[in-house]
């Protein structure tokens, strides 16, 4: 069983009220791949520039991630993104986005990777996502994510990619923007009515909502104590979700477990800058947090 | 078993993007008492003016609420509050607050009401809350709520009332303001460290968090589809919580159930203007929603 992860590998500059880093390993695919690697074998499909530090590549290899799809673009520079978080750590200003090698790059599946059992396509041009989905006809579970810029510029494409995948992952703002529904419950239902096979709406610190034709699930947020850097939490969530699902049957009960694993791994990710916490995370820690999560949320039937 | 509910009975003028009402039965104690009456006998202690419509009083009597403590102040006018909700229904502008009879009124326990088994003191001057708590030494569970104005003007009193009661109920903003902690998990713990025996933090549509020295519980929000009017949802939650607890042992498991009952009843309250939905709500509907809530949130232990 192998999960394909595609998206961005980037270098991030992040400022919080408490600290800053100038050039930290980042990007949607990085976070998702590291999270998924807790559960299964991961193949990473992304573009980097010649300036990408070897040390960062070694970090990914150190977690057992297959980098045969990590493509160095000759003469290109790695994508860079900078942001500053406000005091509450829930809102941020994007300081800059340099597309670099991701400007126009179209991911192509390396030879032999058609047998990936599952796939997660982090936010990207929806045509690129659709191309990859078409190249993976036998994958038994696929998920696409998106970001605001593609909803603004290519909404029909985003909707087509969401219909083509088994799971569509969006955050709260994106769910409202795509559906025009203020209610999260209605937005989830509307995404399914618009053709998504299942919708996962990430609510940040408040957890997640899952809607499909045959299930509806609401998970509260893990009680976070010290948020050092929320960057990439959504991709971490999605990566862990798909990583767990790669090892399980795709049933409503397992999907619920996958959401809790997603929350658990994301709750670690925000404890450090960039993916630093994920680079040292152990499966035992993840299992312990899953158990805590259940202890924090369980309640009995009515007496 | 009988729950005492004290606080405001008021007449509200509410505007939402979709409708408006000019003079609707409202007030913290009204919502809490109607919610609690789903579960147990309720005594209502509040002040009204001579202008309070008999029809509104009949609505409360119709739900079996004991109005011996509903005190008509001669020559006084009932408190009035007006607000306008924004499009997202999560934010509102207060248009006016007329204290009326609640300007300086000190609630006094009617003769015979010292035997109330539990009590909920909705937001009020903390000295009034402390007075009532002192008059109920044998109540086996008490809860106080507050609002921003008392945190701004009488923070030490608010903290004293929270230490004196068994449960302190606050919303997210109030929890952060009282503790100086941005993290809800830390704020809950900080309230307990500051002397609250247990803290219930209401997160609106995102559910609630409960912290005590021996338990921590996070409940997600019920998936709300059509929010007509969120006014009083927090007091409804608190009233149902205490109403259920009046019928149960005060154990961690029953406290968790009480929180789910609180969420369930509050999810009905927002479906109508003011307390209109509560006035026709049946216990069967509440039980059905509790079961739905469990179905929406349950997940298995790790496999």
């Amino acid at each position: 069983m192998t999960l394909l992860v595609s998206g961005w590998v980037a270098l991030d500059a992040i400022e919080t009220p408490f600290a800053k880093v100038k050039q930290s390993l980042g990007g949607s695919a990085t976070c998702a791949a590291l999270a998924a690697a807790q559960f299964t074998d991961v193949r990473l499909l992304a573009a980097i520039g010649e300036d990408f530090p070897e040390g960062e590549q070694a970090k990914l290899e150190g977690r057992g991630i297959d980098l045969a799809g990590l493509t160095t673009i000759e003469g290109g520079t790695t994508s860079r993104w900078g942001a500053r978080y406000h005091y509450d750590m829930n809102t941020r200003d994007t300081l800059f986005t340099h597309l670099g090698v991701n400007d126009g790059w179209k991911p192509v599946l390396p030879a032999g990777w058609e047998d990936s059992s599952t796939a997660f396509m982090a936010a990207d041009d929806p045509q690129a996502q659709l191309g990859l989905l078409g190249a993976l006809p036998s994958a038994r579970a696929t998920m696409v994510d998106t970001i605001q810029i593609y909803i603004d510029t290519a909404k029909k494409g985003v909707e087509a990619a969401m219909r083509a995948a088994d799971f569509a992952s969006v955050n709260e703002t994106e769910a409202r923007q795509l559906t025009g529904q203020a209610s999260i419950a209605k937005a989830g239902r509307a995404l399914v009515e618009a053709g998504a096979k299942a919708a996962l709406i990430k609510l940040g610190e408040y957890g997640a909502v899952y809607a499909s034709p045959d299930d509806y699930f609401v998970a509260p947020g893990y009680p976070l104590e010290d948020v050092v850097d929320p960057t990439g939490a959504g991709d971490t969530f999605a990566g862990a979700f798909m990583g767990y699902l790669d090892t399980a049957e795709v049933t409503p009960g397992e999907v619920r477990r996958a959401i809790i694993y997603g929350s658990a791994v994301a709750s670690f990710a925000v404890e450090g800058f960039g993916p630093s916490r994920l680079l040292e995370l152990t499966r035992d820690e993840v299992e312990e947090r899953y158990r805590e999560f259940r202890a924090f949320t369980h309640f009995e039937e009515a007496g």
Side-chain angles (χ1 to χ4, degrees), chain A:
Chain A
M1 292 168 305
T2 314
L3 172 72
L4 174 85
V5 172
S6 73
W8 279 31
V9 170
L11 296 170
D12 291 349
I14 296 162
E15 293 178 31
T16 75
F18 314 108
K20 64 200 268 181
V21 289
K22 274 195 171 165
Q23 185 174 290
S24 167
L25 179 61
S28 54
T30 304
C31 297
L34 286 169
Q38 285 294 327
F39 304 95
T40 194
D41 291 336
V42 177
R43 292 165 170 169
L44 178 60
L45 177 57
I48 51 173
E50 289 182 347
D51 58 338
F52 192 72
E54 274 182 33
E56 303 297 353
Q57 201 157 326
K59 288 180 187 169
L60 296 168
E61 277 164 349
R63 302 302 283 191
I65 297 168
D66 185 343
L67 300 183
L70 188 64
T71 312
T72 305
I73 308 293
E74 216 174 309
T77 56
T78 303
S79 299
R80 281 158 204 269
W81 179 78
R84 182 186 293 131
Y85 284 88
H86 300 183
Y87 177 73
D88 69 1
M89 300 290 270
N90 284 317
T91 49
R92 71 183 176 207
D93 298 321
T94 295
L95 301 178
F96 60 84
T97 306
H98 300 317
L99 295 177
V101 294
N102 278 298
D103 188 4
W105 186 68
K106 291 276 172 276
V108 177
L109 214 56
W113 282 21
E114 316 72 41
D115 68 351
S116 303
S117 44
T118 58
F120 172 56
M121 270 124 257
D124 203 346
D125 181 327
Q127 297 311 319
Q129 294 178 323
L130 283 163
L132 286 176
L133 286 169
L136 293 162
S138 57
R140 60 190 187 80
T142 57
M143 179 152 79
V144 295
D145 198 281
T146 192
I147 47 174
Q148 180 142 1
I149 187 167
Y150 299 114
I151 300 174
D152 289 341
T153 61
K155 192 175 173 193
K156 287 203 181 305
V158 169
E159 288 167 344
M162 287 184 169
R163 281 193 299 272
D166 297 303
F167 301 95
S169 160
V170 290
N171 69 27
E172 194 170 355
T173 308
E174 292 155 1
R176 293 200 167 108
Q177 199 183 349
L178 276 166
T179 64
Q181 295 289 350
S183 149
I184 289 299
K186 276 192 169 176
R189 212 179 301 277
L191 287 167
V192 172
E193 279 163 11
K197 297 188 189 91
L200 187 58
I201 305 178
K202 299 166 288 182
L203 307 178
E205 65 175 315
Y206 301 112
V209 159
Y210 172 79
S212 78
D214 60 355
D215 199 21
Y216 194 92
F217 179 56
V218 280
Y222 181 86
L224 298 168
E225 297 243 337
D226 289 296
V227 175
V228 171
D229 174 16
T231 308
D235 292 302
T236 302
F237 182 99
F241 173 89
M242 285 304 298
Y244 175 74
L245 222 50
D246 190 54
T247 70
E249 296 288 310
V250 183
T251 62
E254 290 290 19
V255 165
R256 289 179 175 215
R257 273 192 183 133
I259 290 168
I260 301 304
Y261 276 115
S263 298
V265 177
S267 75
F268 283 110
V270 303
E271 290 177 1
F273 260 106
S276 59
R277 188 69 182 83
L278 294 180
L279 289 168
E280 56 182 32
L281 187 62
T282 69
R283 181 67 186 260
D284 280 352
E285 289 177 303
V286 174
E287 293 297 328
E288 172 63 23
R289 196 151 282 189
Y290 186 108
R291 283 191 293 272
E292 279 180 7
F293 210 102
R294 194 158 190 284
F296 284 151
T297 59
H298 182 75
F299 61 92
E300 298 292 330
E301 288 173 25

